[in-house]
Amino acid sequence: MYLSSIDRPGTDAASPAGRSRLRGIKAVGGNVFALGTVSLLTDVSAEMVTAILPVYLVFGLSMSPLAYGTLDGVHTGATALLRLVGGYVADRVRRPKAVAGVGYAMSALAKLGLLAVGRSAGAIGFVIAADRAGKGLRTAPRDALITLSAPPHALARAFGVHRAMDSFGAFLGPLVALAVLAASGQAFDAVLVTSFCVAALGVLVLVLFVRDRHDERPPAAAPSPREAVALLRSAPVRRLLVAACLLGFAVIGDGFVYLLLQRREEVSLSSFPLLAVGTSLAYLLLAVPIGALADRIGRVPVVLGGYTALLGVYLLLTASLRGWPLVALVLVLHGLFYAATDGVLMALAGPVLPEHLRTTGLALIQTGQALAYLASSVLFGLAWQLWGPDTAVRCAAAMVVPAVAATALLLLVRPTTRSHTEETA
């Protein structure tokens, strides 16, 4: 199976009425909405804390750009193996909901851990790493549940609905944090306690309303590690993994984008969390229509368009444009980038992977992205420290162009030297 052939959704529903029904939001299924609710609550909890961390670490603790980039990258990249573990265990026990639940619970408990660490950068890093470990465990099982809960021709739309609900939580999180701080007299402990309560509610919704999904035809035996490794022998999976790594290497952390905006426009520290709100609002508004567009015209072109929007973000951060137009354009393009890439890439991967190893395969692709992001964050922080922010952003922009071109070659151009049977063996 070629990625270029599975990219475009099928035409199973031949009648106009059938096509209209499948284009509707109801096509994604109730399980996707339940998972979206869990992610919404979890992101409210997470963004209450993480929206203020970049400015707190850089300005409050005087952390250098290299140190921040390393911390930011390690928190994502260091959990890469946990993504694989979570994906493989979920396939092995055929209970993706249970594995995802463990990850959500870890992240909830990490909010309480922040209450005990004070201003110690090392302790804060350890607790945030535990939170990211929870995210690493839950992401692939959750995305596998989405692919198993929606019809194949509506996968990008299903991910769009889920990511829209997820981004609505990210939109609300900083606002809730600001409201709690105002009501509590700037008590950070109150934010952490509220964050934990919201995350615990998300775990409760998962337990009560999300249903496990799996292939109706049970495999002859539980998948072995050898079978998981054998995924790499599939040419479509290899091409998608390489593309995900290339694209991940072209991404700098959200915190860097917001710090660059704050530096250029002298955004007040009290208003800094609202930058994340802007990205989340754009993501929220665009996720569902972009997902529907990907199902209609093809998922690879939409992903490539998303990384083109990211290139626009980088170029704007070094342009002469100033003031609110700059802030608005950067945040809208940043949200468009996420809407066109995050869920759509997983929807692209779903049909390529065998049912009994789908969670493992998704985790493999996410791991490749996470490790590439780790390298990107460290190198961007180093470039900022050595050459300054403007040169660092120009280097990041220069990475996007070859990454997009190589991805187009990998996912859109069919090999001519091997047969279709060899490619799918």
Side-chain angles (χ1 to χ4, degrees):
M1 179 184 295
Y2 293 103
L3 284 173
S4 52
S5 67
I6 63 92
D7 164 58
R8 192 174 300 277
T11 56
D12 294 36
S15 69
R19 289 194 296 270
S20 176
R21 176 176 59 82
L22 288 173
R23 283 197 295 267
I25 294 298
K26 291 182 179 179
V28 304
N31 219 35
V32 174
F33 282 97
L35 286 164
T37 302
V38 175
S39 292
L40 188 158
L41 292 168
T42 302
D43 254 35
V44 169
S45 168
E47 293 302 321
M48 288 179 67
V49 178
T50 59
I52 62 173
L53 275 180
V55 70
Y56 173 69
L57 293 174
V58 172
F59 293 100
L61 300 184
S62 301
M63 191 171 284
S64 69
L66 175 58
Y68 172 73
T70 302
L71 183 63
D72 183 52
V74 166
H75 287 160
T76 300
T79 62
L81 291 179
L82 280 176
R83 293 171 187 254
L84 285 174
V85 170
Y88 177 72
V89 170
D91 282 330
R92 182 87 180 178
V93 303
R94 305 191 75 206
R95 290 294 181 268
K97 173 183 169 178
V99 178
V102 172
Y104 281 111
M106 286 177 62
S107 293
L109 292 173
K111 306 305 186 298
L112 291 182
L114 285 172
L115 285 170
V117 299
R119 293 174 57 88
S120 168
I124 289 173
F126 176 80
V127 174
I128 296 174
D131 174 73
R132 296 299 85 187
K135 181 177 176 62
L137 280 176
R138 70 178 182 253
T139 300
R142 179 204 65 201
D143 285 350
L145 279 170
I146 295 173
T147 67
L148 294 168
S149 300
H153 8 6
L155 274 180
R157 187 180 293 107
F159 275 101
V161 168
H162 174 269
R163 294 320 197 248
M165 297 178 73
D166 183 273
S167 59
F168 186 53
F171 168 75
L172 290 177
L175 299 179
V176 174
L178 292 174
V180 172
L181 286 171
S184 64
Q186 306 301 309
F188 190 63
D189 287 359
V191 175
L192 296 177
V193 172
T194 305
S195 174
F196 166 74
C197 292
V198 176
L201 180 60
V203 175
L204 183 62
V205 172
L206 177 79
V207 171
L208 295 180
F209 297 104
V210 174
R211 298 186 301 275
D212 255 330
R213 296 289 191 188
H214 52 77
D215 188 4
E216 296 300 326
R217 299 166 300 175
S224 66
R226 181 175 297 178
E227 286 181 282
V229 173
L231 280 173
L232 293 174
R233 290 205 294 267
S234 167
V237 175
R238 283 201 310 273
R239 291 198 295 271
L240 188 55
L241 176 60
V242 171
C245 291
L246 289 172
L247 294 173
F249 191 70
V251 178
I252 65 174
D254 295 355
F256 276 127
V257 172
Y258 303 144
L259 287 170
L260 288 163
L261 272 180
Q262 190 277 335
R263 172 182 169 274
R264 281 176 60 93
E265 298 304 314
E266 298 182 351
V267 176
S268 67
L269 299 187
S270 61
S271 300
F272 184 85
L274 297 178
L275 297 177
V277 171
T279 293
S280 298
L281 178 61
Y283 189 0
L284 165 67
L285 296 176
L286 294 171
V288 174
I290 291 293
L293 178 68
D295 280 332
R296 186 166 65 250
I297 71 170
R299 293 160 191 163
V300 172
V302 170
V303 169
L304 297 179
Y307 279 90
T308 303
L310 182 65
L311 176 61
V313 169
Y314 296 163
L315 294 178
L316 282 170
L317 289 172
T318 60
S320 58
L321 183 66
R322 302 301 291 264
W324 70 263
L326 170 67
V327 176
L329 278 173
V330 166
L331 297 181
V332 168
L333 287 176
H334 203 216
L336 174 60
F337 157 68
Y338 279 115
T341 59
D342 187 14
V344 178
L345 186 61
M346 293 300 99
L348 178 63
V352 174
L353 301 165
E355 290 278 4
H356 69 292
L357 284 170
R358 180 164 298 180
T359 315
T360 304
L362 291 175
L364 179 65
I365 292 166
Q366 292 163 356
T367 295
Q369 279 188 305
L371 292 175
Y373 177 82
L374 166 61
S376 173
S377 291
V378 173
L379 290 176
F380 184 83
L382 180 61
W384 182 335
Q385 191 158 315
L386 292 178
W387 305 320
D390 290 345
T391 300
V393 174
R394 292 189 185 99
C395 291
M399 285 301 305
V400 175
V401 176
V404 168
T407 298
L409 290 174
L410 284 166
L411 303 188
L412 291 176
V413 178
R414 297 190 182 192
T416 57
T417 57
R418 300 181 68 185
S419 70
H420 178 82
T421 302
E422 289 174 321
E423 290 290 345
T424 56

